[in-house]
Amino acid sequence: PPPFTGVWMGDSKLCAIGVHCGNHITSHGLALNCCTDLSWFEHIVPCGLEGKGVTSLSHELGQHVAVSHVLEPFLESFQEVFDCTLVSPEEPG
């Protein structure tokens, strides 16, 4: 819900999106909660937003959703939406 960034299910954040700028460097981050242990969020104010919660795909769908099941379709959609090509770093050594 505006003005909060991310993907929300009601008052609970499913996907966090962040940007940090400093020293002429911009960093971007994204966290999609697939099968996250949500009990950890009971001890903090997630994203500094009082009265808001955190959820996961597993919680919302009522079944275990592993990162491995979500990664490929997520990356394909990301490339389509942002009209880009993602490259993986080469294996070391």
Side-chain angles (χ1 to χ4, degrees):
F4 307 124
T5 61
V7 177
W8 292 79
M9 301 288 297
D11 277 341
S12 296
K13 188 178 268 193
L14 176 66
C15 179
I17 303 168
V19 177
H20 176 265
C21 302
N23 297 323
H24 308 288
I25 297 172
T26 304
S27 302
H28 306 80
L30 184 138
L32 176 61
N33 295 327
C34 294
C35 52
T36 306
D37 178 356
L38 299 175
S39 67
W40 291 100
F41 292 101
E42 296 171 9
H43 306 285
I44 64 169
V45 177
C47 303
L49 301 173
E50 292 282 347
K52 304 294 182 194
V54 177
T55 191
S56 68
L57 289 172
S58 293
H59 177 79
E60 294 298 324
L61 297 173
Q63 63 185 38
H64 180 75
V65 178
V67 173
S68 60
H69 290 112
V70 175
L71 190 58
E72 187 175 331
F74 175 82
L75 294 176
E76 288 173 1
S77 294
F78 186 96
Q79 290 180 106
E80 183 179 327
V81 168
F82 292 101
D83 192 25
C84 66
T85 301
L86 300 175
V87 294
S88 298
E90 291 185 32
E91 294 290 324

